[in-house]
Every structure is written in C-alpha cells, then in structure tokens.
Amino acid sequence: MTVDEAARVPVVIVGAGPVGVTAALLLARRGVRSVVLERHRDVYPLPRAVANDDEIHRILQAAGVGEEFTAISRPANGLRLLDARHRVMAEFRRSPQGHHGYPQSSMFDQPELERVLRDALARRPECELRGGVEVTAVGPDTTGPVRVTYRDDDREHELWADAVLGCDGANSLTREAIGGAWEDLHFEEKWTVIDAETTGPVRCWEGVDQVCDPDQPGTFMRVNETRYRWEFRLREGEGQETVREVIAPWLPPSYDGDFEVVRETQYTFRARVADRWRSGRVFLLGDAAHLTPPFIGQGLCSGLRDAYNLTWKLARVLQQGGDERLLDSYESERRPHARRVVRLAVAMGWAMTGGQDGAAALRRRALAAACRIPGLTELAGRDLSPPLTTGPLVRRSVRRRLAGTHCPQPWVSVAGRPTRLDEALGDSFAVLTATEPGPSLTALAHSLGVHAVPVTDLGDDGTLAAWLRAGHADAVLLRPDRVVMDIVPAGGRDFTSTAAWATLLHTTRSPVPSERTAPKSLLRSTTR
C-alpha cells in the first residue's frame, strides 16, 4: 500500500452531513481553509431530520444559506398533544417571527438542505470536499498537527491538520480516537418511522401532532406540500401493523388514491452525551457528541449549535492569535447546554408518550392537569435553547441576566436598505449601546476591531431598545455567534470582565482583517 506524501491543511472535517458542511462554510467565511472527508459520494437521499427552529435558521444565515433555506422550508404552527382518541389536550404555538428573525419552527426535507449546503460549499474556494473516502485513523493526539488517514478506491492518504472536527455520527471513529465514551441518560425506545408522499386529503394542522397514547404513542407532521412523517413506538411482542393501518386515522376511510411510502425504517431512540468532546485539537460535533430522542426536534439543531460555537473560536486561534484556552470553552459551554436539551427531550418524551412503567397513568393525569394551567402552554412555546452557563466568555450574574442569551435579530436599515442585524454587524464582535457610547466603550470596541453602535442608529422597529431595557442593560458585548458575552448594567460604567477575556482573545488596537466587519455606512467612526 502506497502512502501519499503528507499534506498540511488548517482544518480537516470528518463527515459531510449538515453539521460538517455548515462548519466548513462558517470557517470559510472567516478565511479558514478546510478539507471535508465523506464516505458517500453524494447526498444521502432519504429523509431524516425534518424540523429546526429560528436559532438554527440564523446559523444557516451566518453560513451563507439563509435565503436558500427559507425557499425550501415552511413555517410550522408548533406542537399539539393528542390523547389516544386524537382529541386535543394542549397546543404549544410557535410564532411566525421568532427572537432570531425567522419562524420559531420550520419543516424541511433533509436531502434538500444538504444539497443547498453542498452547493454553497462548492462555491467556496476555501473548502474542498473529498467524497467516496473512508477515514481509517485520527491522531494520535500530540502537541503538533493531527494526522488523519483515509482511503479511497486506489490507495491510502495522509493529511496533517491544525485541527480536526469529528462530525462523523453516532458511531464516530473520531470519538473513539480521543478516548470518548457515552454518558447514558437512560432513555431507549424502539420506534418505526414512515415517510410518505401523497396528494390526498391528509388531516393535519400544519404543525406536529404528538399522540399521548400509552399503548402506542406516535408523532405526525407534514414536511412539505406532499410529504408526511409518521413515527410510532413499537409494541413489544406483537407483529407489526401495515403502514396503512397505523396511518388510517389521518386519511379518509375510503381513500385509495396515490400514496407512496418513501421510507419505512426502525430506529432506537437514545439519550446520550459524550463524556469528553475534545482532545488537543480534535473536537466532536453533532451526533458524535450527543444523541437525543426526537420529541422536541433538537437533534440536528444541537449539532449546528456546536458548529457555530466552535468555528469562530477556532478561527480566532488559528488566524488571530487567540489563546489556546479559548478552545476549552467549546466543551465547557456546549456540553452542559446539549445535556440540558437532551434531558428536556427525555422529559417531554416520558410526559407525552406516558412511558411503559407503573407510573405512566399518573404522568398522563399530571400532564393533562398541567395543560389546563393558564399561561403554561404559552411559556412552553418559548425558545427551547437555554442560556449558556457562566464562564470566561459569558459573564452571567443576577444583574447580567442577558449574558449567555442571544441578541434578537430584527431588520435594520443600512444606507436606507432593509438588512438583517447580523448582516449589518458582520461576523466579528459587536458592542450595542442604549445611548451614545462613552470613551471607554469606544476604546473597547476599537480594540476588538469593531464599532460601538447606539441602537437608535440602527433604524429597527424598537426591538433592540426594548430588549436592552427589559434586561436592565445600557450596553451589551456580542460575541461573533451573537451570544451576549457581557453587559453594562443600567447606570453602570463599563464591562467588568475585560481583563479576563482580553487575554484569551489577544485583542489588538486595530481591526482584524480576517473577520468581516460591519459596513462603514452603518457604523460610526470610533474616532471622535
């Protein structure tokens, strides 16, 4: 077997699913080159993920495919809980305009999303996709570049990377390479999943129906104009019903028109989180790092959050002199966040499906009673993503409750043209102020290569000013992923944590050229 002469690349990404390709696109926007290795030559053609939220739509916007995703997705009403006779127990409505500037819930076909991402990847000279290859080894972990070995039809090859992102799924070779193991969060059920195409009069409410039937719980949703998804927990010890039998409640009894089963398969839904997400410059993302039941639709969402959280930090270290400790915050921020989301999915799953133990009836009665509490369904319909916990890049406290949350994204005006906030601010840090910034905030912004922006200059509908007032903040420091890093409390003078995080970021006194900064037509000069 012939081995190629070693090649050096900044980043190798193992796996070209949505998480891996999104990570490559986010790195490319910051000028970081990557090679993506994928065993399939083309997009996997069968549907898998079918839903995401407005935060994820915003991440796809940052990756450069926000409008393309809008074109292939459709807003969803939210979630309904049905009893065994399909009577509505509760509705959890999702807004058509969420905190992040997009519908709070959207339905889509994963192969279509993957094609959009692959097309965008092909347009980026910083990215190279090598399909039809098998990664055979990652590492060993050293203080220098990481070796990645892969095999194609002809021979074995080596790449040497400054960083490796393992986006290679639940059976991740990368996780094995860094010695990671699963933490079991104690949920395991076998379900059958049916995807079908029909133009028939399927009964639906343009959202997700969860059937809370202890005998056979199920989930139903319309994905696009003609495609539908049904999921049912398998009954133990019984023969499987036909597709037509299990979906009969959603079709007219006499309907015998067009109906094509696109996919019928069985899954074991599990709840697990890897006990380590990083070894040196090797990182785990997506299903390689966490597995969740699908009850709140956050599986793919969590993976794309991983990509957004890590890529700006990695670019900062590789290109801008950021301290290596900056990369430690990836696991310290994302692992507890993902774990909370997985636990929420497990709790929702047990509540909605009833479980299979002696307490199932008690849970169902408690759920029915809770759904009658005024305001509870509205509260449950809010964003499912919890704030990030306190750390070097999140200065959260009682007075700083906005820290760790995301800044809203309204439409603003740039030279008289409507623009989404993130596009106006660019890919770097941003300082938003409730009033005209003073000298210290102006100097801080300049050290980050950005400008301090009064929200009154943005020409939005008042969303940002109201958000600052509600959070009792005179100013906020936004990270490149639009998480609030720190705030100046109302009546305060300055951010309190500058020294702590400035060391990690290696801030300079001039703009950082590798990060896209805001249009000069929008932001005021820092020189007064």
Side-chain angles (χ1 to χ4, degrees):
M1 180 183 300
T2 303
V3 178
D4 278 3
E5 181 180 354
R8 179 77 175 264
V9 295
V11 179
V12 167
I13 299 174
V14 184
V19 175
V21 177
T22 299
L25 292 172
L26 290 168
L27 288 170
R29 283 178 69 109
R30 291 179 166 81
V32 179
R33 294 187 301 110
S34 65
V35 173
V36 185
L37 304 176
E38 169 58 43
R39 62 191 180 97
H40 296 293
R41 294 189 182 277
D42 200 0
V43 168
Y44 187 72
L46 295 179
R48 286 159 291 164
V50 294
N52 72 11
D53 58 31
D54 53 327
E55 180 186 345
I56 303 312
H57 203 152
R58 189 177 187 176
I59 293 174
L60 294 173
Q61 172 194 326
V65 296
E67 295 307 312
E68 291 91 335
F69 181 73
T70 298
I72 65 168
S73 63
R74 48 179 293 275
N77 284 339
L79 171 70
R80 288 195 314 186
L81 305 185
L82 311 181
D83 65 14
R85 296 169 61 183
H86 289 212
R87 295 174 300 189
V88 177
M89 299 167 59
E91 279 187 11
F92 301 93
R93 285 273 178 176
R94 306 294 277 168
S95 170
Q97 182 75 8
H99 183 80
H100 299 276
Y102 294 101
Q104 278 191 305
S105 181
S106 294
M107 309 301 296
F108 65 95
D109 181 49
Q110 182 169 333
E112 286 189 313
L113 171 60
E114 293 201 38
R115 281 189 284 272
V116 164
L117 291 169
R118 291 276 188 104
D119 289 346
L121 194 74
R123 296 192 296 267
R124 299 297 311 213
E126 304 91 344
C127 306
E128 180 185 354
L129 172 62
R130 300 182 187 178
V133 305
E134 179 187 1
V135 175
T136 56
V138 175
D141 178 33
T142 65
T143 56
V146 182
R147 182 177 65 185
V148 179
T149 307
Y150 69 94
R151 184 170 50 239
D152 59 18
D153 293 338
D154 298 324
R155 56 185 174 176
E156 188 170 90
H157 306 261
E158 283 185 352
L159 290 173
W160 292 87
D162 295 321
V164 175
L165 310 189
C167 307
D168 46 347
N171 299 315
S172 169
L173 178 146
T174 312
R175 187 179 60 250
E176 181 180 342
I178 69 170
W182 286 124
E183 175 194 1
D184 191 348
L185 299 184
H186 308 295
F187 185 96
E188 184 169 319
E189 290 187 347
K190 293 181 179 180
W191 285 58
T192 187
V193 178
I194 300 164
D195 289 283
E197 291 265 6
T198 181
T199 58
V202 179
R203 181 168 56 85
C204 65
W205 82 298
E206 303 303 331
V208 177
D209 277 343
Q210 178 64 54
V211 182
C212 303
D213 180 359
D215 184 44
Q216 189 175 55
T219 306
F220 164 71
M221 66 208 74
R222 183 163 81 93
V223 179
N224 58 30
E225 292 303 316
T226 59
R227 178 165 291 182
Y228 300 84
R229 161 77 58 89
W230 286 268
E231 300 172 353
F232 296 96
R233 189 175 66 198
L234 299 178
R235 294 187 177 103
E236 293 189 15
E238 294 185 17
Q240 293 305 301
E241 300 168 280
T242 66
V243 169
R244 194 55 180 266
E245 287 173 330
V246 296
I247 68 172
W250 287 271
L251 286 170
S254 60
Y255 181 73
D256 60 357
D258 67 304
F259 190 89
E260 177 189 357
V261 176
V262 177
R263 181 185 67 152
E264 180 184 4
T265 189
Q266 295 181 7
Y267 280 108
T268 300
F269 294 155
R270 294 185 173 94
R272 295 177 175 177
V273 177
D275 63 349
R276 61 186 308 188
W277 291 32
R278 178 196 179 194
S279 176
R281 289 282 186 85
V282 182
F283 304 86
L284 302 182
L285 297 81
D287 286 354
H290 41 75
L291 298 174
T292 181
F295 302 113
I296 57 175
Q298 291 291 301
L300 177 58
C301 296
S302 291
L304 294 182
R305 290 190 190 102
D306 297 341
Y308 204 22
N309 185 288
L310 176 60
T311 51
W312 76 265
K313 299 171 182 176
L314 186 58
R316 192 97 192 176
V317 171
L318 294 181
Q319 291 194 321
Q320 300 152 35
D323 193 285
E324 191 76 16
R325 292 173 299 159
L326 183 62
L327 301 177
D328 293 337
S329 68
Y330 167 63
E331 180 174 345
S332 66
E333 289 182 351
R334 286 297 306 139
R335 187 169 182 267
H337 187 281
R339 195 172 187 274
R340 288 177 64 186
V341 171
V342 174
R343 284 201 173 278
L344 177 59
V346 170
M348 292 290 282
W350 281 117
M352 293 189 296
T353 67
Q356 296 170 306
D357 58 11
L362 178 61
R363 278 196 295 272
R364 288 193 301 278
R365 288 195 294 270
L367 175 63
C371 289
R372 294 191 291 270
I373 299 175
L376 180 64
T377 56
E378 289 79 5
L379 180 63
R382 294 180 183 173
D383 292 341
L384 296 171
S385 179
L388 295 182
T389 54
T390 299
L393 299 177
V394 174
R395 310 306 296 178
R396 192 167 174 81
S397 67
V398 174
R399 294 191 69 198
R400 293 172 171 79
R401 63 175 186 240
L402 288 183
T405 67
H406 286 87
C407 172
Q409 183 181 213
W411 287 89
V412 298
S413 178
V414 177
R417 180 175 59 88
T419 305
R420 293 187 186 275
L421 177 68
D422 290 358
E423 291 300 321
L425 294 179
D427 291 332
S428 187
F429 290 84
V431 177
L432 299 182
T433 64
T435 58
E436 196 69 24
S440 61
L441 291 184
T442 299
L444 171 64
H446 182 67
S447 74
L448 292 169
V450 298
H451 299 258
V453 188
V455 296
T456 52
D457 287 2
L458 291 171
D460 74 325
D461 59 1
T463 296
L464 293 170
W467 173 68
L468 289 173
R469 284 195 303 272
H472 304 290
D474 281 347
V476 291
L477 173 60
L478 303 181
R479 306 180 343 177
D481 56 4
R482 296 305 164 236
V483 169
V484 178
M485 186 168 172
D486 198 1
I487 80 166
V488 177
R493 294 191 174 191
D494 205 346
F495 299 107
T496 60
S497 55
T498 305
W501 50 256
T503 302
L504 296 180
L505 298 176
H506 282 187
T507 55
T508 64
R509 300 301 296 185
S510 60
V512 180
S514 59
E515 288 190 350
R516 194 169 52 85
T517 54
K520 296 299 187 290
S521 59
L522 169 65
L523 303 183
R524 299 176 180 220
S525 170
T526 55
T527 304
R528 296 290 176 184

